[in-house]
Amino acid sequence: NPMTNESSEEDKIGSDFDEEEGSQIYRIDVGRGGKNAVLYLNDIEKDPEYSSWPTSMQQMLYSSQFGGAPTVRRNLFTMLLVIDPADGNPCPALGAVAQLLNAQFPLRLGVLIVNKDDVEKGRLSEPLPWDNGDRPFHASDSFLLLKHITNKYGGMVAISCLFQLLHQSAEMDDTLSVKEYVSAHVSLIVQMGVLHQGLVSNVQDELMNILKTGKDPENANQKNKNLSYESAVQFAKDKLIRPGMSFFNGIPLPGDAATFESRVNTILRDEQHHIMELAMKGVITDSTPKSIYATILSGDNLFNQYHPLLDESSGEYFIASPKSDEASLLLLSQSKEDYSNVDALFVIEAMVDLDDSAGIDAVSSFLEVISSAPDHSWHESKTVSLAARIVPTGESTSSASQVLGSLFCAASSFDAADLRVVAHHIQHAKLEDAVDSNFFDKVEGLSASVRRKMAAAAMEGKQCHGAKHDSKYLYTANGRVYVPHGSPLITMDDIKMLVSLELDHSTAITKLILKNLPSSVSASNDDNLTGRVLHHAIGRSAAALNEFFSSSTKSEGVSSALTADLDSSSPEENPLFFSWNKDTASESFQVEVSVILDPLTEPTQRVAPLLLAIRDVLKLPLRLIIAPRHVVDNDVPLSSYYRFVVDPLASASNPPKARFENLPTNHLLTLRMDVPEPWDVQQAHGVQDADNLRCDARFGCGDEGYILARDNRAEGLVDIKPTKGLVELTQIDYNLKSLLLFGQCYDVSQNTPPNGLQLTLDRMSLDETEVGEISVEPDGSIGSQVNNIRPSSDHADTLVMKTAGYFQLRSNPGVWSLRIEEKSRGSEIYHLVDGKVSASGQVSPAKSSIERKSKTLVAKDFTSPFRVLLVKRKKGFEKAKLYLDEGDSTVIDKGSNETVHVFSLATGHAYERLLKIMMLSVTKRTSAPVKFWLFSNFLSPSFKSSATYMAEQIGCEVEFVTYKWPEWLRGQSEKQRIIWGYKILFLDVLFPLDVKKIIYVDADQVVRGDLTELWNLDLNGAPYGYTPFCDSREETLGYQFWRTGFWKSHLAGKPYHISALYVVDLERFRRELVGDKLRSIYQQLSADPNSLANLDQDLPNYAQHDVRIFSLPQKWLWCESWCSDETKSEAMTIDLCNNPEHKEAKISMAKRIISGDLFEESWEELDEMVRNYDDEFSQFELTKL
């Protein structure tokens, strides 16, 4: 077997960058060492409150598959809150903890109560005078109090007291006194019914005495008797954690409320999925391991201490010193180095402002840190060699900074200790003092030879300034950036963390470069020079590669690391190994492509044509191993035929084509496009139904046979003999309709997305008589203000989503103006500013940012970059709400003749036929003007044109809307589920912002009533209204799954609604951010492919506890499968829903159900009217030709 467990170093380079942003999980070991520091308020496995919970992990797994909480009597999840109840700061994790506990989530809650100042000093502050309990309460008081309440009244009482008092403290301006704090606890305990009113005085005195003395008389008999506030402070100091932090199974949660809210659901979902995997693999069972917490806090990506670098979803990389060479490097190893035994080489660079006294302090501190560590002590298990470089930022203006800059540019000639002596001398002098020729004679602690060398370097005056960066002070390890918060100083722990995070990348690059080391370097007799050259080469290469890989994966992704030693394989040894273009390889660095493919996977289908282009067009060396799975599941691993179009010869006259040949003739096939995210591709021409491609037994499989078969059926010629010589070619054309401009929007005032902010995009046109210069930036934005551009008619609008501030707008090549909707409240609150968002998610407005009303963007290619739009609150609107409360908004009476807006979607010729009949029935029955909004992504071009014609004839309007499923939102592979997703997930952004209400009607419905009545119906404050499922047909009640099991428990008496018809108050829907809520719940539930079986229906019903549904009167939807025949006469709409007991074709069902005295026109009569309009349109088109 040629495959090994070790991957080649080339393969490892960039391997960590194949993860999606934010997918790398780090844990902090906040479990070990906290035995006497962390107060655990509950224990799922031992506390009697959980005695009724199931103990079977299998039962829990089964329940979770249907969207239920993973309720089981095991401590599956542990949340640690680091808090100081006295500081008045809110704890973002409290709300999540409360929701999880209420949902019967097996969550063990621990609290670490410490004061921030005590942690920084490493000891308890001197207590204030007792003053009869009138002094402000301290974190140590909270610790003692909560410990006593937990032991005496139980953990649930302690949790309730903690939550309520933390909430109250966050809303108070002044800190409570000890006496008030104790009284508040006692009052809450009484309210919970665990303390009699008559004992209040005694208990209050008891608690006051505990806090006064700092001792609990009952402590000796308590199970956590060794818990102490001093241990808590020491634990927090050792782990580098502070109040306001929280950890979920050791995973750090975001500290600020806005970021917490946007990311916590993803973290909780992923961790739940991780626990489920451990359970399914048998790692976690009903009784083992004894401590699940200890098991989880092990393995890779576990850190003993917290560090701010771990907050970064993906690291930022930066080449700090592009003009520096090896002469500016300080080798930290004092002994002769054998680099063949070194795992990784690092260059640690400090970028500092030498014209600032803080910069000199940073230099002195940096030199002390790097020179104080023993050799190879930078990592626990790997041998690491470090070199250091100090890089001045900006132009040195003072003579002192110029001297230091010259010394650092020639640092290899000196020891770190000597450089620190000079920095220390300048540190205690005035920067603006002139440095004369006798300067070094005044510096004590330098030898005469060092003084002479330093004077010569200063006289030469060479400077090695760094590249420009937004931060004044930063440090890098092989390009990985660390910007200290608060102080510009760096510690040994900071450098060790940088080394740990970059060790894998740097190890791979070190091995690769050492393996290909030029003989001129390895043969050098100067060990110091060899070391500097190697560190410089590896450090610079690592920084460049890391910067490239980290930036490229944000839009394109990088292939996964290969896990086979391909060098040892050959066609003779392995018949599944293939190699091409090997003779083109050279001994120097080159591009080689190595691939391992499982042939029965969709990614293999995608990559195969690319490999052909790499082999035949680029002529690159290509190695391929076919690695099929030993066991294939029962499901067919591939259910589609795939073509990836790579055609270097394509042109306007020879458009790119995907050609499918030798397809099975007895299958029903569906055609679907797989295109880059910025592309809106829709069908432009097709004779056949792309959703239902099938062969005719008499006329074959091509377009010609399809037309003959269709025409013969229409004329009733069923016995005609097949025609010979037909071309069996099916041709379907697609056009690129538009390009997406998508990106992120952030409020720099609060570092959060302004979700719900209304944006508009308008095409700009140049006044040809006043053409000026336009500066196009690399990201496609226009750098300079362009005054001679005026807006044109092309327009799009959208909302900013909560998730990452995502927005999406449609455009075409050209110049566009992006702005906040002028008539919206957002334009009152915000204006646009310049700036950027770092890899860690930190929003940084430009220092010289100009307040703008619009941002000019250029759509100039087919790979639209991800745009960043920054907004800032105007003065006086720092705390203004983007959406006014309902009582503050102005209600406008639009009159009785307001247009009724109807939304629908369909795919395939059969449903397009049904959709036209629905449109006709709505228009006939509705007394007000009607405008249809039809989702265009799946409609055929023939339908769009014929439906538009029919709308003109019957007196309604038709407009087509579209949206592209964002890549960050979990996608669906089955077309029906994709359609269901579009039906519910994007209602807030699908329609123009001036559409205030919409009624959704399924394509297979026929409307009997006036939709104006539904349009004017009061939804009683709900964002949308659905009709509950009928329960009047007794023979199908047994099929109503929501009456039992999970759904019955989850609904808790609420009805389960049908999604075939609903009305949406879009103003309220947008104001209450319902779209964000539904997408968040969908993202969580869809992690399990077995959940949301009926996506468009299950999602709003599941979300009822968060998003209220107004139940429409039963008359608004009648379905034969669930509703009795007696209720049919009252029905306003008839839905052709499937019968669970037997199958019936839609057309047959429609003809049978929609007929008789209850209908002004039968379905067949409506169908005939639609056919007549289609015939008229065909004649109209022929006339035009």
Side-chain angles (χ1 to χ4, degrees), residues 395-439:
E395 298 295 330
S396 302
T397 56
S398 68
S399 55
S401 64
Q402 291 174 357
V403 166
L404 278 179
S406 298
L407 296 183
F408 296 147
C409 202
S412 62
S413 303
F414 312 107
D415 292 332
D418 292 334
L419 291 173
R420 184 167 175 262
V421 167
V422 177
H424 185 74
H425 180 83
I426 294 178
Q427 189 178 15
H428 293 84
K430 293 183 179 180
L431 283 175
E432 59 270 17
D433 288 348
V435 178
D436 53 28
S437 57
N438 298 321
F439 170 78

Side-chain angles (χ1 to χ4, degrees), residues 356-431:
D356 187 353
S357 59
I360 307 299
D361 293 344
V363 165
S364 182
S365 174
F366 178 68
L367 290 169
E368 181 180 7
V369 168
I370 62 174
S371 58
S372 62
D375 292 351
H376 306 311
S377 65
W378 298 101
H379 196 269
E380 296 177 359
S381 59
K382 294 290 184 73
T383 304
V384 175
S385 177
L386 265 62
R389 177 186 283 127
I390 298 173
V391 184
T393 58
E395 298 295 330
S396 302
T397 56
S398 68
S399 55
S401 64
Q402 291 174 357
V403 166
L404 278 179
S406 298
L407 296 183
F408 296 147
C409 202
S412 62
S413 303
F414 312 107
D415 292 332
D418 292 334
L419 291 173
R420 184 167 175 262
V421 167
V422 177
H424 185 74
H425 180 83
I426 294 178
Q427 189 178 15
H428 293 84
K430 293 183 179 180
L431 283 175

